[in-house]
Amino acid sequence: MVEVRREAENADDLSSALNAARNGDEQAFRVVYRLVHPGLLRYVRVLVGEDAEDVVSEAWLQIVRDLSRFSGDGAAFRGWASTIARHRALDHLRHHRRRPALATPPEEMPEPVTDKDAAELALDGLSTDQAVAMIASLPMDQAEAVMLRVVLGLDAQAAAKVLGKRPGAVRMAAHRGLRRLAENLRRPQRSEVGEHGE
Amino acid sequence: MSTVSDIFGRDDADGDEMSRPRLISDATADFLLSGGAVDDPVAQDLAQVLAAASAPGRAEELMREDAALVAFSAAHLAPIPAHRRRPKIKTLLVNALGLKLAAAALAAVAVGGLAYAASTGVLPDPLNPGPASKTPGNQSTPASPTASHSPGGLRTTGEQMEGWCTAYLNAGSAEEKNGHLTADLVAAAGGEDRVDDYCVALVGPPKPKPTMASPKPKPKPTMASPQPRADVTIPPRPSVSPRPEPPSRRTQPSARLSAR
């Protein structure tokens, strides 16, 4: 399958670029950045909202500072970078209110559909930002679990390590997040009291 | 084999808020979380959202790439040699004292630090700018074995000038630098305090500079036709998309940002 091969190439790309970057190769660092930063940015956006760029910039300062001491492949790097970004985000939240500029207002959610084709059309134009905003509207533990698994590509063990939780708890949170998302797709979130904060 | 509970996935876990058959089974959920594609229509909608969330990076998400590269380069620089570590002091001294006295002052600083230099009276008094009274370790006449001292400069060629400049810039100590200050060179530069800039413009900086993307101050324009400095150029970022995949289309739901 083409998609599987492309993903495998991505993983190899990151690992080999990482090795070169550890030796000071600047172009290799650019590759690392382009493969990893967008995921970090989207993940941190779920945590801190609009200030995500600043927070992730700070995370990169720490990442490049400690890069020579990091040993591991691309997957391990994603987990390590995610941990650093998460700490920065939580630190940021201790001093700043979250600015949830990306929570999708109900009127912007995709229309509820019963027809499968119509559903595909509605979701076909879904942008990355909209999709991330939908995930961001989940309870925080569910949103984090989904982002780390799906967007940062961490496996269950690695995601649990980033979150400092047991793998079973992270799996449950991720499952609940997916189910809630599926529910929201069938009928968009209105300001129903029972929907939030569960 | 697909049973009702495979499709709808009853969950026995406590505290589960969904008492009715679930939209997504545990198996399907695990599959989606690992990046798999599914046939089930409900799961397909969800899969499309997840695919959009994990689409490859866009240019708008890479706005701070160059800044990150600067940080990366800075973290990998070789340590700067000691005698070049205080360029600001050097500039101040050259501008304030003229080159020969500044050279002596620099020598004193290199030997014993600022306190030593201040105690020997080599550094200028900020309230009374003027030539310092003492110049420890200074040689009265610069030695210039190869220079041609023709004041009119009739026999001074561009090649000679470059040679003097190269020797001057690469000289290890202040006294040695002094030794390469020929009259013609100083005249061409327009003064002893301009020799540095003149020579750098003529033959380039003496040693390879760190490759940082942040701009460095350019040399002042001089009388000689300056050779362009070897500025570091960062290759332009592709305008379309970053490696490895262009993020343009939504029709590739399986093209993931992250790899496993």
Side-chain angles (χ1 to χ4, degrees), chain A residues 30 42 124 171 175 179, chain B residues 22 26 30 65 234 250:
Chain A
R30 282 192 189 273
R42 296 169 198 172
D124 213 32
R171 180 172 181 258
H175 284 199
R179 286 172 183 133
Chain B
R22 294 233 206 90
D26 279 345
D30 282 334
E65 175 181 312
I234 306 291
R250 262 320 123 239

Side-chain angles (χ1 to χ4, degrees), chain A residues 20 37 55 66 77 93 127-128 133 155 171-172 190:
Chain A
H37 177 75
V55 172
D66 297 342
F77 180 81
L93 286 173
S127 72
T128 298
D155 64 20
R171 180 172 181 258
M172 193 178 306
R190 300 192 179 86

